[in-house]
Amino acid sequence: MACGKVYLVGAGPGDPELMTLKAKRLLSEADVVLFDRLLDPRMLEGVKGERIDVGKSAGSHKLSQEGINRLLIEKALKGNMVVRLKGGDPYLFGRGGEEALALRERGIAVEVVPGVTSAVAAPELAGIPVTHRGIASAFTVVTGHEEPGKDSPLDWGAVARLGGTLVVLMGVSRLEKNVGQLIAGGRSPETPAAIVEKGGWADQRLVTGTLGDIAEKASRAKIESPAILVVGDVVRLSEQLARKRIAILRPEAQQEESAALAEAYGFLPVQSPAIALVERPLPSDLMHRIMAAECVAFTSANGVKMAMKAEGVRLGLEKKMIVAIGPKTEAALAGCGLRSEKPEEYSSEGLESMLNGKCKRILFLRSAQGSQYLSEGLRHGGIEVDDIPLYEVVLSRNALLDDLIRHPEAVDIFAFTSSSTARSLLERARELGLEDSLRNALAGATVAVIGRPTAAELERLGVRVDIMPETFTFEAMLRALRRVS
Ligand code: SAH
């Protein structure tokens, strides 16, 4: 008989980067991989062998535990190297022990590979250490989902009397009952409690409250499995330790870079592009208008990229005074070998004081929705303004934006980098019939803007603004946010 082997491998709580090196290696070597429905598809990148989903969602047939055991045995007996990938750690409420026993009984070699368990990681990723000096010196993990008629049911009274932190897995559907039993067993309804949904996933959520109100709060937030209940004073630490979730509303092309920056500043970015840029054809008198201007101003790196596509523009600009609004724009120009000047403040006032006496005719090469606020200020100061729209800013209709609008309470911070991001977010919410819930979430969240025109637009839209940095850049906005959150 050929001898196969089965590895029972822990996949961690959900983020593929929290898999172990050994798990990754075994997956790439496996002939067959059996996995559960909830696993992130990125975990299976690099799998060359057969993939079997044993946890197809309810409705379509889900394999029973016996079915899974049988399949593992069958595949191993054919001489395969089999990886049975399981959420979290295989032996913590994962039925890994049962699978190992069934295989051993058939004389099949089996090896377990531990994984990062959600029992510790999910609270941890939401800013809750399960133990903490002076607050909790023990933690208990229990199941919140007991099979009816089980021989040795969980003694909730005893669990309630245990000190320390209590972590309840598989408890979403019985949350109210479980919490009730803990209170009946003597735990104060005032005890801090939290639910962590999808810990380590991109759409992780945290709901905090007390034992007395957590069930109601969770049902209002429509918390679904997988989620973990944490009970104990350690929950309070999440106020300081939870990473704040920030909605990144910039155009798609800037999402990755902005998300990385937000992460570097300690935030959890939620990518939700609100706008998209649609390029416009350049006018035939472009060169003529460049020549007629004394100085040419760019307001974004995108604008620089688009303008440079036309022949002769770079050369024509070499002889002009060039103004860059913001460091990214300046860097894009420098990349084309063009030196530019930046106003000290990225606003019409800043631009005006910079141009004072140096330039009487300015040409803007920017978005069609460029702020009138900027040009009007300059005209007021006696400067002639020409404006060539390079691109149109339109609503993105990106699915990620719709996700955000459906669960706006899942973010703590909305970061607006332009007036059009603000308009687009509200416009899409209106289209989806969800404007009221979005407005509620905005009222409860921290609203940050990159600069004055964006702040003015939000005010016009009836949204309160909390944070505006002193320098008008995305990075300065993140710094300002970190100071307050
Ligand atoms: N072996 C797994 C637990 C399996 S039981 C482990 O070690 O993590 C399944 C339960 O785990 C779910 O009902 C839920 O309570 C919890 N769970 C698993 N992944 C989770 C996650 N990413 N966030 C929150 N809870 C999770």
Side-chain angles (χ1 to χ4, degrees), residues 312-348:
V313 166
R314 210 199 65 83
L315 219 61
L317 285 173
E318 259 181 3
K319 299 174 205 102
K320 299 282 163 189
M321 169 183 178
I322 307 176
V323 179
I325 311 282
K328 286 278 155 59
T329 315
E330 183 187 36
L333 285 159
C336 303
L338 292 169
R339 195 142 20 108
S340 58
E341 295 177 40
K342 269 184 321 195
E344 250 167 57
E345 198 194 279
Y346 308 133
S347 65
S348 64

PDB file of all heavy atoms in Angstrom, residues 312-348:
ATOM      1  N   GLY A 312       5.892  68.794 -27.157  1.00  0.00           N
ATOM      2  CA  GLY A 312       6.289  70.195 -27.036  1.00  0.00           C
ATOM      3  C   GLY A 312       5.975  70.825 -25.694  1.00  0.00           C
ATOM      4  O   GLY A 312       6.513  71.876 -25.359  1.00  0.00           O
ATOM      5  N   VAL A 313       5.096  70.194 -24.912  1.00  0.00           N
ATOM      6  CA  VAL A 313       4.684  70.809 -23.648  1.00  0.00           C
ATOM      7  C   VAL A 313       5.876  70.962 -22.697  1.00  0.00           C
ATOM      8  O   VAL A 313       6.106  72.024 -22.123  1.00  0.00           O
ATOM      9  CB  VAL A 313       3.550  69.998 -22.973  1.00  0.00           C
ATOM     10  CG1 VAL A 313       3.364  70.416 -21.537  1.00  0.00           C
ATOM     11  CG2 VAL A 313       2.256  70.187 -23.750  1.00  0.00           C
ATOM     12  N   ARG A 314       6.636  69.894 -22.605  1.00  0.00           N
ATOM     13  CA  ARG A 314       7.760  69.934 -21.664  1.00  0.00           C
ATOM     14  C   ARG A 314       8.727  71.064 -22.023  1.00  0.00           C
ATOM     15  O   ARG A 314       9.146  71.845 -21.177  1.00  0.00           O
ATOM     16  CB  ARG A 314       8.485  68.592 -21.653  1.00  0.00           C
ATOM     17  CG  ARG A 314       9.136  68.239 -20.333  1.00  0.00           C
ATOM     18  CD  ARG A 314      10.192  67.166 -20.504  1.00  0.00           C
ATOM     19  NE  ARG A 314      11.290  67.662 -21.327  1.00  0.00           N
ATOM     20  CZ  ARG A 314      12.293  68.385 -20.862  1.00  0.00           C
ATOM     21  NH1 ARG A 314      12.358  68.671 -19.576  1.00  0.00           N
ATOM     22  NH2 ARG A 314      13.237  68.820 -21.661  1.00  0.00           N
ATOM     23  N   LEU A 315       9.010  71.141 -23.309  1.00  0.00           N
ATOM     24  CA  LEU A 315       9.941  72.157 -23.796  1.00  0.00           C
ATOM     25  C   LEU A 315       9.380  73.564 -23.563  1.00  0.00           C
ATOM     26  O   LEU A 315      10.081  74.461 -23.108  1.00  0.00           O
ATOM     27  CB  LEU A 315      10.185  71.925 -25.295  1.00  0.00           C
ATOM     28  CG  LEU A 315      11.614  72.145 -25.754  1.00  0.00           C
ATOM     29  CD1 LEU A 315      12.548  71.160 -25.028  1.00  0.00           C
ATOM     30  CD2 LEU A 315      11.709  71.921 -27.275  1.00  0.00           C
ATOM     31  N   GLY A 316       8.070  73.721 -23.876  1.00  0.00           N
ATOM     32  CA  GLY A 316       7.410  75.015 -23.693  1.00  0.00           C
ATOM     33  C   GLY A 316       7.445  75.445 -22.235  1.00  0.00           C
ATOM     34  O   GLY A 316       7.614  76.624 -21.910  1.00  0.00           O
ATOM     35  N   LEU A 317       7.319  74.480 -21.358  1.00  0.00           N
ATOM     36  CA  LEU A 317       7.269  74.794 -19.930  1.00  0.00           C
ATOM     37  C   LEU A 317       8.621  75.192 -19.369  1.00  0.00           C
ATOM     38  O   LEU A 317       8.712  75.895 -18.378  1.00  0.00           O
ATOM     39  CB  LEU A 317       6.725  73.588 -19.147  1.00  0.00           C
ATOM     40  CG  LEU A 317       5.219  73.340 -19.267  1.00  0.00           C
ATOM     41  CD1 LEU A 317       4.849  72.025 -18.601  1.00  0.00           C
ATOM     42  CD2 LEU A 317       4.428  74.471 -18.638  1.00  0.00           C
ATOM     43  N   GLU A 318       9.669  74.707 -20.030  1.00  0.00           N
ATOM     44  CA  GLU A 318      11.017  74.978 -19.528  1.00  0.00           C
ATOM     45  C   GLU A 318      11.279  76.464 -19.350  1.00  0.00           C
ATOM     46  O   GLU A 318      12.032  76.866 -18.479  1.00  0.00           O
ATOM     47  CB  GLU A 318      12.056  74.384 -20.489  1.00  0.00           C
ATOM     48  CG  GLU A 318      12.609  73.070 -19.971  1.00  0.00           C
ATOM     49  CD  GLU A 318      13.637  72.477 -20.890  1.00  0.00           C
ATOM     50  OE1 GLU A 318      13.969  73.103 -21.920  1.00  0.00           O
ATOM     51  OE2 GLU A 318      14.101  71.366 -20.573  1.00  0.00           O
ATOM     52  N   LYS A 319      10.613  77.270 -20.216  1.00  0.00           N
ATOM     53  CA  LYS A 319      10.891  78.714 -20.174  1.00  0.00           C
ATOM     54  C   LYS A 319       9.934  79.455 -19.242  1.00  0.00           C
ATOM     55  O   LYS A 319       9.988  80.671 -19.145  1.00  0.00           O
ATOM     56  CB  LYS A 319      10.777  79.291 -21.592  1.00  0.00           C
ATOM     57  CG  LYS A 319      11.770  78.663 -22.535  1.00  0.00           C
ATOM     58  CD  LYS A 319      11.531  79.157 -23.966  1.00  0.00           C
ATOM     59  CE  LYS A 319      12.034  78.157 -24.967  1.00  0.00           C
ATOM     60  NZ  LYS A 319      10.988  77.342 -25.574  1.00  0.00           N
ATOM     61  N   LYS A 320       9.038  78.734 -18.622  1.00  0.00           N
ATOM     62  CA  LYS A 320       8.011  79.394 -17.802  1.00  0.00           C
ATOM     63  C   LYS A 320       8.298  79.241 -16.312  1.00  0.00           C
ATOM     64  O   LYS A 320       8.999  78.329 -15.888  1.00  0.00           O
ATOM     65  CB  LYS A 320       6.642  78.752 -18.072  1.00  0.00           C
ATOM     66  CG  LYS A 320       6.174  78.862 -19.492  1.00  0.00           C
ATOM     67  CD  LYS A 320       5.637  80.241 -19.772  1.00  0.00           C
ATOM     68  CE  LYS A 320       5.578  80.463 -21.282  1.00  0.00           C
ATOM     69  NZ  LYS A 320       5.267  81.851 -21.615  1.00  0.00           N
ATOM     70  N   MET A 321       7.666  80.108 -15.594  1.00  0.00           N
ATOM     71  CA  MET A 321       7.644  79.883 -14.147  1.00  0.00           C
ATOM     72  C   MET A 321       6.565  78.811 -13.921  1.00  0.00           C
ATOM     73  O   MET A 321       5.449  78.933 -14.425  1.00  0.00           O
ATOM     74  CB  MET A 321       7.255  81.172 -13.434  1.00  0.00           C
ATOM     75  CG  MET A 321       6.954  80.993 -11.980  1.00  0.00           C
ATOM     76  SD  MET A 321       6.418  82.581 -11.261  1.00  0.00           S
ATOM     77  CE  MET A 321       6.080  82.053  -9.589  1.00  0.00           C
ATOM     78  N   ILE A 322       6.930  77.760 -13.205  1.00  0.00           N
ATOM     79  CA  ILE A 322       5.949  76.684 -12.970  1.00  0.00           C
ATOM     80  C   ILE A 322       5.599  76.640 -11.488  1.00  0.00           C
ATOM     81  O   ILE A 322       6.483  76.714 -10.630  1.00  0.00           O
ATOM     82  CB  ILE A 322       6.507  75.311 -13.398  1.00  0.00           C
ATOM     83  CG1 ILE A 322       7.012  75.383 -14.855  1.00  0.00           C
ATOM     84  CG2 ILE A 322       5.446  74.238 -13.277  1.00  0.00           C
ATOM     85  CD1 ILE A 322       7.661  74.097 -15.311  1.00  0.00           C
ATOM     86  N   VAL A 323       4.308  76.499 -11.235  1.00  0.00           N
ATOM     87  CA  VAL A 323       3.863  76.422  -9.852  1.00  0.00           C
ATOM     88  C   VAL A 323       3.305  75.021  -9.595  1.00  0.00           C
ATOM     89  O   VAL A 323       2.528  74.502 -10.395  1.00  0.00           O
ATOM     90  CB  VAL A 323       2.762  77.468  -9.567  1.00  0.00           C
ATOM     91  CG1 VAL A 323       2.298  77.364  -8.131  1.00  0.00           C
ATOM     92  CG2 VAL A 323       3.271  78.868  -9.874  1.00  0.00           C
ATOM     93  N   ALA A 324       3.735  74.425  -8.513  1.00  0.00           N
ATOM     94  CA  ALA A 324       3.220  73.107  -8.130  1.00  0.00           C
ATOM     95  C   ALA A 324       2.476  73.248  -6.820  1.00  0.00           C
ATOM     96  O   ALA A 324       3.036  73.748  -5.843  1.00  0.00           O
ATOM     97  CB  ALA A 324       4.373  72.122  -7.967  1.00  0.00           C
ATOM     98  N   ILE A 325       1.209  72.839  -6.821  1.00  0.00           N
ATOM     99  CA  ILE A 325       0.467  72.873  -5.559  1.00  0.00           C
ATOM    100  C   ILE A 325       0.701  71.523  -4.881  1.00  0.00           C
ATOM    101  O   ILE A 325       0.099  70.529  -5.250  1.00  0.00           O
ATOM    102  CB  ILE A 325      -1.047  73.089  -5.790  1.00  0.00           C
ATOM    103  CG1 ILE A 325      -1.316  74.255  -6.740  1.00  0.00           C
ATOM    104  CG2 ILE A 325      -1.777  73.251  -4.468  1.00  0.00           C
ATOM    105  CD1 ILE A 325      -1.190  75.630  -6.162  1.00  0.00           C
ATOM    106  N   GLY A 326       1.594  71.514  -3.922  1.00  0.00           N
ATOM    107  CA  GLY A 326       1.829  70.290  -3.163  1.00  0.00           C
ATOM    108  C   GLY A 326       3.103  69.567  -3.568  1.00  0.00           C
ATOM    109  O   GLY A 326       3.566  69.678  -4.707  1.00  0.00           O
ATOM    110  N   PRO A 327       3.680  68.828  -2.643  1.00  0.00           N
ATOM    111  CA  PRO A 327       4.965  68.154  -2.859  1.00  0.00           C
ATOM    112  C   PRO A 327       4.905  67.034  -3.904  1.00  0.00           C
ATOM    113  O   PRO A 327       5.884  66.795  -4.612  1.00  0.00           O
ATOM    114  CB  PRO A 327       5.323  67.589  -1.479  1.00  0.00           C
ATOM    115  CG  PRO A 327       4.060  67.610  -0.689  1.00  0.00           C
ATOM    116  CD  PRO A 327       3.192  68.664  -1.261  1.00  0.00           C
ATOM    117  N   LYS A 328       3.765  66.340  -4.012  1.00  0.00           N
ATOM    118  CA  LYS A 328       3.659  65.230  -4.984  1.00  0.00           C
ATOM    119  C   LYS A 328       3.697  65.783  -6.399  1.00  0.00           C
ATOM    120  O   LYS A 328       4.287  65.199  -7.309  1.00  0.00           O
ATOM    121  CB  LYS A 328       2.350  64.458  -4.760  1.00  0.00           C
ATOM    122  CG  LYS A 328       2.384  63.596  -3.521  1.00  0.00           C
ATOM    123  CD  LYS A 328       3.079  62.275  -3.796  1.00  0.00           C
ATOM    124  CE  LYS A 328       3.678  61.645  -2.555  1.00  0.00           C
ATOM    125  NZ  LYS A 328       2.711  61.375  -1.503  1.00  0.00           N
ATOM    126  N   THR A 329       3.028  66.944  -6.581  1.00  0.00           N
ATOM    127  CA  THR A 329       3.007  67.594  -7.890  1.00  0.00           C
ATOM    128  C   THR A 329       4.423  68.057  -8.243  1.00  0.00           C
ATOM    129  O   THR A 329       4.886  67.874  -9.370  1.00  0.00           O
ATOM    130  CB  THR A 329       2.031  68.801  -7.844  1.00  0.00           C
ATOM    131  OG1 THR A 329       0.844  68.391  -7.184  1.00  0.00           O
ATOM    132  CG2 THR A 329       1.718  69.300  -9.232  1.00  0.00           C
ATOM    133  N   GLU A 330       5.086  68.612  -7.262  1.00  0.00           N
ATOM    134  CA  GLU A 330       6.454  69.077  -7.458  1.00  0.00           C
ATOM    135  C   GLU A 330       7.360  67.910  -7.870  1.00  0.00           C
ATOM    136  O   GLU A 330       8.164  68.018  -8.812  1.00  0.00           O
ATOM    137  CB  GLU A 330       6.980  69.699  -6.155  1.00  0.00           C
ATOM    138  CG  GLU A 330       8.365  70.283  -6.281  1.00  0.00           C
ATOM    139  CD  GLU A 330       8.915  70.738  -4.921  1.00  0.00           C
ATOM    140  OE1 GLU A 330       8.633  70.050  -3.905  1.00  0.00           O
ATOM    141  OE2 GLU A 330       9.597  71.762  -4.886  1.00  0.00           O
ATOM    142  N   ALA A 331       7.172  66.778  -7.195  1.00  0.00           N
ATOM    143  CA  ALA A 331       8.013  65.613  -7.492  1.00  0.00           C
ATOM    144  C   ALA A 331       7.733  65.099  -8.910  1.00  0.00           C
ATOM    145  O   ALA A 331       8.652  64.697  -9.635  1.00  0.00           O
ATOM    146  CB  ALA A 331       7.753  64.508  -6.465  1.00  0.00           C
ATOM    147  N   ALA A 332       6.455  65.130  -9.321  1.00  0.00           N
ATOM    148  CA  ALA A 332       6.112  64.656 -10.666  1.00  0.00           C
ATOM    149  C   ALA A 332       6.770  65.553 -11.720  1.00  0.00           C
ATOM    150  O   ALA A 332       7.276  65.061 -12.742  1.00  0.00           O
ATOM    151  CB  ALA A 332       4.603  64.649 -10.849  1.00  0.00           C
ATOM    152  N   LEU A 333       6.789  66.849 -11.479  1.00  0.00           N
ATOM    153  CA  LEU A 333       7.424  67.778 -12.412  1.00  0.00           C
ATOM    154  C   LEU A 333       8.937  67.545 -12.438  1.00  0.00           C
ATOM    155  O   LEU A 333       9.558  67.502 -13.507  1.00  0.00           O
ATOM    156  CB  LEU A 333       7.117  69.229 -12.005  1.00  0.00           C
ATOM    157  CG  LEU A 333       5.685  69.698 -12.334  1.00  0.00           C
ATOM    158  CD1 LEU A 333       5.294  70.891 -11.486  1.00  0.00           C
ATOM    159  CD2 LEU A 333       5.565  70.027 -13.823  1.00  0.00           C
ATOM    160  N   ALA A 334       9.499  67.362 -11.268  1.00  0.00           N
ATOM    161  CA  ALA A 334      10.948  67.127 -11.179  1.00  0.00           C
ATOM    162  C   ALA A 334      11.302  65.874 -11.967  1.00  0.00           C
ATOM    163  O   ALA A 334      12.348  65.808 -12.628  1.00  0.00           O
ATOM    164  CB  ALA A 334      11.366  66.995  -9.722  1.00  0.00           C
ATOM    165  N   GLY A 335      10.390  64.885 -11.920  1.00  0.00           N
ATOM    166  CA  GLY A 335      10.603  63.645 -12.667  1.00  0.00           C
ATOM    167  C   GLY A 335      10.682  63.896 -14.173  1.00  0.00           C
ATOM    168  O   GLY A 335      11.258  63.094 -14.919  1.00  0.00           O
ATOM    169  N   CYS A 336      10.107  64.991 -14.644  1.00  0.00           N
ATOM    170  CA  CYS A 336      10.179  65.342 -16.066  1.00  0.00           C
ATOM    171  C   CYS A 336      11.277  66.375 -16.305  1.00  0.00           C
ATOM    172  O   CYS A 336      11.326  66.997 -17.369  1.00  0.00           O
ATOM    173  CB  CYS A 336       8.852  65.939 -16.535  1.00  0.00           C
ATOM    174  SG  CYS A 336       7.450  64.879 -16.272  1.00  0.00           S
ATOM    175  N   GLY A 337      12.083  66.590 -15.306  1.00  0.00           N
ATOM    176  CA  GLY A 337      13.193  67.530 -15.451  1.00  0.00           C
ATOM    177  C   GLY A 337      12.763  68.992 -15.368  1.00  0.00           C
ATOM    178  O   GLY A 337      13.463  69.876 -15.867  1.00  0.00           O
ATOM    179  N   LEU A 338      11.623  69.253 -14.739  1.00  0.00           N
ATOM    180  CA  LEU A 338      11.140  70.642 -14.653  1.00  0.00           C
ATOM    181  C   LEU A 338      11.197  71.139 -13.209  1.00  0.00           C
ATOM    182  O   LEU A 338      10.719  70.464 -12.298  1.00  0.00           O
ATOM    183  CB  LEU A 338       9.700  70.728 -15.167  1.00  0.00           C
ATOM    184  CG  LEU A 338       9.521  70.483 -16.669  1.00  0.00           C
ATOM    185  CD1 LEU A 338       8.049  70.331 -17.000  1.00  0.00           C
ATOM    186  CD2 LEU A 338      10.144  71.619 -17.485  1.00  0.00           C
ATOM    187  N   ARG A 339      11.793  72.303 -13.059  1.00  0.00           N
ATOM    188  CA  ARG A 339      11.850  72.876 -11.712  1.00  0.00           C
ATOM    189  C   ARG A 339      10.582  73.686 -11.461  1.00  0.00           C
ATOM    190  O   ARG A 339      10.106  74.394 -12.340  1.00  0.00           O
ATOM    191  CB  ARG A 339      13.088  73.747 -11.570  1.00  0.00           C
ATOM    192  CG  ARG A 339      13.384  74.063 -10.137  1.00  0.00           C
ATOM    193  CD  ARG A 339      14.850  74.080  -9.747  1.00  0.00           C
ATOM    194  NE  ARG A 339      15.768  74.246 -10.862  1.00  0.00           N
ATOM    195  CZ  ARG A 339      16.446  75.389 -11.075  1.00  0.00           C
ATOM    196  NH1 ARG A 339      16.272  76.426 -10.297  1.00  0.00           N
ATOM    197  NH2 ARG A 339      17.306  75.470 -12.078  1.00  0.00           N
ATOM    198  N   SER A 340      10.020  73.570 -10.278  1.00  0.00           N
ATOM    199  CA  SER A 340       8.796  74.321  -9.990  1.00  0.00           C
ATOM    200  C   SER A 340       8.910  74.972  -8.625  1.00  0.00           C
ATOM    201  O   SER A 340       9.784  74.626  -7.829  1.00  0.00           O
ATOM    202  CB  SER A 340       7.597  73.380 -10.015  1.00  0.00           C
ATOM    203  OG  SER A 340       7.776  72.347  -9.080  1.00  0.00           O
ATOM    204  N   GLU A 341       7.995  75.893  -8.392  1.00  0.00           N
ATOM    205  CA  GLU A 341       7.951  76.528  -7.073  1.00  0.00           C
ATOM    206  C   GLU A 341       6.650  76.149  -6.401  1.00  0.00           C
ATOM    207  O   GLU A 341       5.637  75.989  -7.055  1.00  0.00           O
ATOM    208  CB  GLU A 341       8.000  78.054  -7.226  1.00  0.00           C
ATOM    209  CG  GLU A 341       9.306  78.538  -7.804  1.00  0.00           C
ATOM    210  CD  GLU A 341       9.282  80.040  -8.016  1.00  0.00           C
ATOM    211  OE1 GLU A 341       8.751  80.761  -7.158  1.00  0.00           O
ATOM    212  OE2 GLU A 341       9.782  80.474  -9.070  1.00  0.00           O
ATOM    213  N   LYS A 342       6.741  76.049  -5.086  1.00  0.00           N
ATOM    214  CA  LYS A 342       5.548  75.692  -4.326  1.00  0.00           C
ATOM    215  C   LYS A 342       5.146  76.872  -3.449  1.00  0.00           C
ATOM    216  O   LYS A 342       6.007  77.467  -2.804  1.00  0.00           O
ATOM    217  CB  LYS A 342       5.868  74.533  -3.363  1.00  0.00           C
ATOM    218  CG  LYS A 342       5.639  73.167  -3.915  1.00  0.00           C
ATOM    219  CD  LYS A 342       5.889  72.096  -2.844  1.00  0.00           C
ATOM    220  CE  LYS A 342       7.054  72.418  -1.976  1.00  0.00           C
ATOM    221  NZ  LYS A 342       7.663  71.515  -1.149  1.00  0.00           N
ATOM    222  N   PRO A 343       3.854  77.182  -3.397  1.00  0.00           N
ATOM    223  CA  PRO A 343       3.465  78.186  -2.402  1.00  0.00           C
ATOM    224  C   PRO A 343       3.644  77.609  -1.006  1.00  0.00           C
ATOM    225  O   PRO A 343       3.587  76.386  -0.830  1.00  0.00           O
ATOM    226  CB  PRO A 343       1.987  78.428  -2.706  1.00  0.00           C
ATOM    227  CG  PRO A 343       1.523  77.234  -3.450  1.00  0.00           C
ATOM    228  CD  PRO A 343       2.707  76.642  -4.134  1.00  0.00           C
ATOM    229  N   GLU A 344       3.836  78.471  -0.026  1.00  0.00           N
ATOM    230  CA  GLU A 344       4.039  77.965   1.333  1.00  0.00           C
ATOM    231  C   GLU A 344       2.787  77.290   1.848  1.00  0.00           C
ATOM    232  O   GLU A 344       2.828  76.301   2.564  1.00  0.00           O
ATOM    233  CB  GLU A 344       4.417  79.123   2.247  1.00  0.00           C
ATOM    234  CG  GLU A 344       5.868  79.014   2.685  1.00  0.00           C
ATOM    235  CD  GLU A 344       6.342  80.283   3.318  1.00  0.00           C
ATOM    236  OE1 GLU A 344       5.708  80.707   4.298  1.00  0.00           O
ATOM    237  OE2 GLU A 344       7.335  80.848   2.814  1.00  0.00           O
ATOM    238  N   GLU A 345       1.638  77.887   1.448  1.00  0.00           N
ATOM    239  CA  GLU A 345       0.378  77.287   1.858  1.00  0.00           C
ATOM    240  C   GLU A 345      -0.370  76.892   0.594  1.00  0.00           C
ATOM    241  O   GLU A 345      -0.422  77.666  -0.354  1.00  0.00           O
ATOM    242  CB  GLU A 345      -0.421  78.317   2.647  1.00  0.00           C
ATOM    243  CG  GLU A 345      -1.523  77.696   3.468  1.00  0.00           C
ATOM    244  CD  GLU A 345      -2.496  78.751   3.952  1.00  0.00           C
ATOM    245  OE1 GLU A 345      -2.193  79.417   4.940  1.00  0.00           O
ATOM    246  OE2 GLU A 345      -3.562  78.874   3.332  1.00  0.00           O
ATOM    247  N   TYR A 346      -0.952  75.671   0.579  1.00  0.00           N
ATOM    248  CA  TYR A 346      -1.614  75.197  -0.628  1.00  0.00           C
ATOM    249  C   TYR A 346      -3.049  75.689  -0.688  1.00  0.00           C
ATOM    250  O   TYR A 346      -3.997  74.924  -0.569  1.00  0.00           O
ATOM    251  CB  TYR A 346      -1.548  73.665  -0.701  1.00  0.00           C
ATOM    252  CG  TYR A 346      -0.147  73.143  -0.525  1.00  0.00           C
ATOM    253  CD1 TYR A 346       0.131  72.091   0.326  1.00  0.00           C
ATOM    254  CD2 TYR A 346       0.902  73.746  -1.212  1.00  0.00           C
ATOM    255  CE1 TYR A 346       1.430  71.640   0.497  1.00  0.00           C
ATOM    256  CE2 TYR A 346       2.205  73.308  -1.038  1.00  0.00           C
ATOM    257  CZ  TYR A 346       2.454  72.256  -0.186  1.00  0.00           C
ATOM    258  OH  TYR A 346       3.736  71.833  -0.020  1.00  0.00           O
ATOM    259  N   SER A 347      -3.193  77.014  -0.850  1.00  0.00           N
ATOM    260  CA  SER A 347      -4.521  77.610  -0.901  1.00  0.00           C
ATOM    261  C   SER A 347      -4.432  78.814  -1.819  1.00  0.00           C
ATOM    262  O   SER A 347      -3.338  79.196  -2.232  1.00  0.00           O
ATOM    263  CB  SER A 347      -4.930  78.075   0.494  1.00  0.00           C
ATOM    264  OG  SER A 347      -4.054  79.108   0.904  1.00  0.00           O
ATOM    265  N   SER A 348      -5.579  79.440  -2.116  1.00  0.00           N
ATOM    266  CA  SER A 348      -5.516  80.595  -3.019  1.00  0.00           C
ATOM    267  C   SER A 348      -4.722  81.733  -2.377  1.00  0.00           C
ATOM    268  O   SER A 348      -3.959  82.420  -3.041  1.00  0.00           O
ATOM    269  CB  SER A 348      -6.918  81.049  -3.417  1.00  0.00           C
ATOM    270  OG  SER A 348      -7.603  81.501  -2.289  1.00  0.00           O
TER     271      SER A 348
END
